[in-house]
Amino acid sequence: MQASGHDQLSVLFVCLGNICRSPMAEGAFRAAAARHGLECHVDSAGTASYHIGNRPDPRAIATARDRGVDIGGQAARQIAREDFFRFTHILAMDEANLAGIRAQTPRDKTARIALLMDVLEDRRGQSIPDPYYGDEAQFASVWDEIAEAAEGLALRFAREGIHAVL
Ligand code: 4NP
């Protein structure tokens, strides 16, 4: 199926380990999509294999839970070839993740690939910092950035349609 043939919005969020940032992005975007009445498939993955099968980091789970979002049921996985065809949008948390994704992008991919922050006009090109070696305060500030982008993304999909965004 060509990219233009995808009528079902499907978004994959990608970070390094798939235990901190992208699980929070998956949860935040699910909540934002529900608020905007969007029907979509949402998932997350990592470029690295270290944490395959693991639950999100307990700090990420707690940060999301404190904001009313349950991400405790997620299990980490690594990005795979079929993701480039199955998803309409693949959104990386930082420049290194984006480079890792680009290095394995099939020539005939159909997904649109960008940084998550590209969705916000005034944050284009910016990365979400890796909170893994940080403290709770860093998880809180990472959540705030991710949640703002997730809300902006859902709003744009609702207003502009899935083929017009990024
Ligand atoms: P994430 O954070 O990419 O936001 O899931 C990290 C998780 C684990 C590691 C690095 C970053 N790690 O080196 O194990």
Side-chain angles (χ1 to χ4, degrees):
M1 195 189 275
Q2 297 300 303
S4 58
H6 279 291
D7 288 323
Q8 169 72 49
L9 174 64
S10 49
V11 186
L12 180 69
F13 296 97
V14 179
C15 61
L16 178 63
N18 192 208
I19 56 166
C20 299
R21 291 165 292 176
S22 61
M24 291 196 284
E26 178 184 336
F29 182 70
R30 267 186 213 288
R35 282 195 297 275
H36 289 278
L38 288 173
E39 266 188 43
C40 55
H41 175 63
V42 188
D43 198 1
S44 62
T47 56
S49 59
Y50 325 128
H51 296 282
I52 290 174
N54 292 353
R55 296 278 169 233
D57 187 287
R59 297 165 296 176
I61 293 175
T63 302
R65 189 183 51 228
D66 289 351
R67 290 151 182 87
V69 176
D70 178 10
I71 63 168
Q74 297 182 28
R77 71 171 181 89
Q78 196 170 17
I79 189 169
R81 190 178 194 282
E82 56 266 28
D83 291 326
F84 293 92
F85 303 93
R86 225 192 257 154
F87 289 90
T88 55
H89 294 75
I90 297 178
L91 299 174
M93 298 298 123
D94 69 27
E95 283 287 355
N97 310 147
L98 186 61
I101 293 165
R102 291 216 188 283
Q104 55 181 301
T105 300
R107 273 169 171 261
D108 55 344
K109 60 91 180 166
T110 51
R112 291 171 192 230
I113 301 169
L115 283 172
L116 172 62
M117 280 306 183
D118 286 348
V119 75
L120 300 175
E121 292 280 318
D122 57 342
R123 302 290 308 270
R124 237 181 246 163
Q126 294 184 15
S127 290
I128 306 277
D130 179 356
Y132 188 61
Y133 295 104
D135 57 13
E136 274 181 29
Q138 188 164 5
F139 273 82
S141 82
V142 160
W143 175 274
D144 288 346
E145 290 187 86
I146 285 173
E148 185 187 351
E151 172 62 24
L153 188 61
L155 189 63
R156 286 191 59 187
F157 282 134
R159 281 187 182 159
E160 301 168 31
I162 75 172
H163 302 300
V165 179
L166 296 168

